[in-house]
Structures are given as C-alpha cells and as structure tokens.
Amino acid sequence: MIGIGSIENQDAVDDARRGRQGRVLITGGAGFVGSNLAAHFAAQGRQVVVFDNLSRPGVTRNLEWLRDRFGRGLLFVRGDVRDADAVARAVASCDQVFHLAAQVAVTTGLADPRADFDINLGGTLNVLEAVRAQAQPPGVVFTSTNKVYGNLAGLSVQALERRYRPLDDDVAETGVDEWQALDFCSPYGCSKGGADQYVLDYARSFGVPAVVFRMSCIYGPRQFGTEDQGWVAHFLLSARAGEPLTIYGDGKQVRDVLFVDDLVAAFAAAERHIEALAGRAFNIGGGSDNTLSLLELLSIIDEFGDRAEINYADWRTGDQPYYVSNTRAFGRATGWRPAVAPRQGIERLYAWLDDVGAPASAESGARAAP
C-alpha cells in the first residue's frame, strides 16, 4: 500500500505494470465520485489506481476510508493531471481509465482562468496522449458537465410556485438531449467543453475507445459539498450547522439529481460497452423522474428538522434556470436507468453524515447555486 505523499509512488506504478489484468485508473480518485467508484471496483477484486493531488476538502478522509477497506487492493499515486509524465506512468499500468480529475467550480474558473484551462483542458489532453501512446489503448470515460450547453437562453420557462417549467412540453417531459447545441459560457464551461470535444475527437481521429458523460447534479455519501460544487450535500451540511445560505437567483432553478450509486452503475455499464459507445457523448443525471428545485430541497431539509437562514443574491454567470438530463440515449445503449429516488437518496446521505460525523461547512454565509 502506498501512503499519502510517499516517494514510492513510481514503485507502485511499476509494480502494477507487471502483468495483472483488469486494472482501473481513476484520476481524481480520492474525490466524492472517484472514491465511490474506486470502492465499487476494489470490492469486485480489481486493482484500482487512485491518482489524486489531494487538493480538495475531504479527499484525504476519502482516501483513508479506501485504504482502511481495501488495503493492497488499492494503489495510491499522489499526482497532478498537469504533470504529463506522471499521467503517462499511471496510464501505462492500467486497462481502463476514468478521468474525473478537474477544476469543478464556475467561480474558481472566473477567478483563475489559467489554472482552470491547465487542469481541465491541458490535463485532459495529457490523459488522452498517454492513452494514445499505448499499444492497446485502454478505454476512457470522461466526466464532462451540463455547463457545455451554456445557460440554455433559448429554452423558455414559466415560473411556478416553487420551480421553473419549460414551455416546450417535450423538454418538460424528457429533459435536454444530446442534440442541444453547445454553448460554452464562463471559463469553466469553455475548459470542460473543450476537453469534452477533444475526448470525442480522439475517439474519431485516433481510435481511442473514449466516452463522454455530460453530468448533471450528483449527490451521496463521501460528498463534502462546498458553496461552489456539491449543492445537495452543501445544503444539508449548512442546515445541520445552522449556517446561512445565499441562493443566487430565486431558488426555483430545477436540476435532475443522481445518487452516486446510480452514477457508479453507469460508469460500469460504460466500461462493459466501451467499444460500442466510443466517440459518443451522453447526458447523465437523474432524468425527468428525479428533479428538484433549490426551494424543494430546502423543504425536504425542513422535514428532517434542519432549517437554514436564507439570503438571496443576483444570478451567477452561466446559471441555467432549468436543466434536466434526457438520459434515454444511454439507457437504450446499455440498459441503465437510475434506481434511487431523491427523497430516498437524501435519507441515505443524512444517514452517512450521521454515521461519520461529517463536519459542517467551515464557511459562514455559505452560498449555493447548482
């Protein structure tokens, strides 16, 4: 087992290269989604390489949890996707790559566009080049975002009492599909959108078996939500701590929410069907059966006995009043569909928070927008 920050990281990768099959590399593998995905594959007996620079809050706790559960079934490499050599060494040992490492906040991208570009677009290019260099390129699943569709300015909505509803009945029934025009808003949207397109083009130009997930709002255990990312967990954490929340806009914004176990099942389905799916992008989320507005989530939190002081501020750059994923294309291709309804998932997230004693957000006056 390789410890955090160990100088033996290269020994771990070299050891992993010696002939064992079915090995999985997860960039950003100590994060919320990455740690859940790593646990899934490690529990199947597959060796998992977790590649992470440990820069996000909570990830060290996630890594320790993985180490306690899986011991030598898990190899940890402390590395950064901006380091092309480190990425190449990690990729060379593995049979499947899940590229999750990213700068994930619109606000951070606005504050530091260069770092946003280097991590999201440059880091993805490093992964793709490392994969392309292999005699038998491993499969790649890349986590993109619904932000590649911009603020959906062409989608007209009506304001109901606690949520927005599209005037287009087809969108209201099934959500936004992959034919929606790309419209990169904000540096974050540009960097993730550019990476999204590079992944698809490497499949077309170089035969890399790569798939893009344009993801909506994911939530569940091991998520230490912040003001800029992970809004469902962030709401729960802030309400538990009695901290105020600032909502950008009016709180009627609607998103489809997907419990992390369902996302892990989608990743596994993508790996099983990687050759057939290569070169395609899929909208992945809870779909039209699993939607929440910010105000509706606050009502559910009230039912659990928590209440937060709410303040309101102006809309933020690129925010979408309504975004719900049409997941039917991926469902038709793989048979996948979400199984965990929002209220059930929130109950499970609460149970995890109680079990681990997860700390509330350290920030007072916490802000929130999906």
Side-chain angles (χ1 to χ4, degrees):
M1 181 60 222
I2 304 303
I4 298 173
S6 171
I7 61 174
E8 301 176 60
N9 284 338
Q10 183 53 48
D11 291 339
V13 174
D14 290 342
D15 179 68
R17 194 178 286 137
R18 297 188 187 107
R20 286 172 288 186
Q21 299 301 310
R23 194 167 299 108
V24 176
L25 170 65
I26 306 173
T27 70
F32 156 51
V33 172
S35 59
N36 279 279
L37 185 60
H40 168 79
F41 286 120
Q44 292 182 338
R46 295 175 67 176
Q47 191 165 63
V48 178
V49 179
V50 169
F51 184 96
D52 203 298
N53 67 4
L54 303 182
S55 63
R56 284 182 57 77
V59 297
T60 301
R61 294 183 67 177
N62 289 341
L63 180 59
E64 292 298 335
W65 173 73
L66 287 169
R67 294 174 66 190
D68 289 344
R69 288 191 67 186
F70 300 109
R72 292 187 177 275
L74 184 85
L75 297 175
F76 171 63
V77 178
R78 185 164 188 168
D80 194 299
V81 291
R82 289 170 287 189
D83 183 341
D85 290 338
V87 170
R89 290 192 296 268
V91 167
S93 75
C94 295
D95 305 289
Q96 172 67 38
V97 177
F98 294 93
H99 178 35
L100 280 54
Q103 189 295 107
V104 296
V106 171
T107 51
T108 302
L110 289 166
D112 192 348
R114 170 61 67 181
D116 179 89
F117 174 91
D118 290 341
I119 296 167
N120 290 350
L121 191 48
T124 299
L125 189 60
N126 287 338
V127 171
L128 291 171
E129 280 291 274
V131 168
R132 183 168 76 97
Q134 305 307 304
Q136 184 174 350
V140 178
V141 180
F142 170 66
T143 51
S144 185
T145 170
N146 62 42
K147 297 299 184 185
V148 301
Y149 299 124
N151 60 9
L152 297 176
L155 179 63
S156 298
V157 297
Q158 60 179 327
L160 305 181
E161 182 180 359
R162 298 200 308 174
R163 60 162 46 208
Y164 287 106
R165 183 188 186 279
L167 294 179
D168 185 319
D169 289 338
D170 289 338
V171 175
E173 180 180 354
T174 64
V176 175
D177 65 24
E178 294 83 1
W179 292 105
Q180 175 67 37
L182 302 182
D183 182 18
F184 304 159
C185 294
S186 80
Y188 171 74
C190 290
S191 65
K192 291 295 284 187
D196 176 313
Q197 293 299 285
Y198 261 93
V199 172
L200 296 179
D201 190 68
Y202 266 61
R204 297 172 187 133
S205 295
F206 303 115
V208 171
V211 177
V212 169
F213 277 9
R214 293 175 181 159
M215 300 203 306
S216 193
C217 298
I218 314 302
Y219 71 105
R222 316 228 63 81
Q223 185 176 40
F224 299 93
T226 67
E227 65 174 9
D228 293 316
Q229 198 269 341
W231 65 282
V232 174
H234 177 58
F235 272 37
L236 269 63
L237 287 165
S238 297
R240 281 163 53 104
E243 294 183 348
L245 283 165
T246 297
I247 291 179
Y248 291 88
D250 54 17
K252 296 181 181 181
Q253 299 99 304
V254 172
R255 299 290 183 270
D256 57 319
V257 295
L258 182 67
F259 194 69
V260 68
D261 289 1
D262 286 331
L263 176 60
V264 167
F267 281 128
E271 184 189 20
R272 289 194 302 271
H273 298 274
I274 194 71
E275 296 296 336
L277 302 181
R280 297 181 65 183
F282 296 96
N283 292 345
I284 300 293
S288 55
D289 292 333
N290 298 286
T291 67
L292 284 175
S293 73
L294 276 63
L295 295 179
E296 289 166 350
L297 175 58
L298 290 171
S299 294
I300 294 174
I301 290 172
D302 285 347
E303 294 174 17
F304 280 89
D306 292 325
R307 185 178 297 272
E309 175 188 341
I310 306 299
N311 302 307
Y312 290 87
D314 290 338
W315 292 80
R316 298 205 289 194
T317 301
D319 195 13
Q320 301 155 325
Y322 184 94
Y323 181 83
V324 170
S325 305
N326 183 337
T327 64
R328 293 184 179 186
F330 189 72
R332 287 192 297 268
T334 66
W336 173 87
R337 63 179 299 173
V340 180
R343 185 174 294 274
Q344 177 189 4
I346 290 167
E347 289 176 356
R348 290 168 65 175
L349 178 53
Y350 259 118
W352 173 75
L353 292 173
D354 290 339
D355 183 53
V356 301
S361 169
E363 300 176 89
S364 59
R367 296 173 289 174

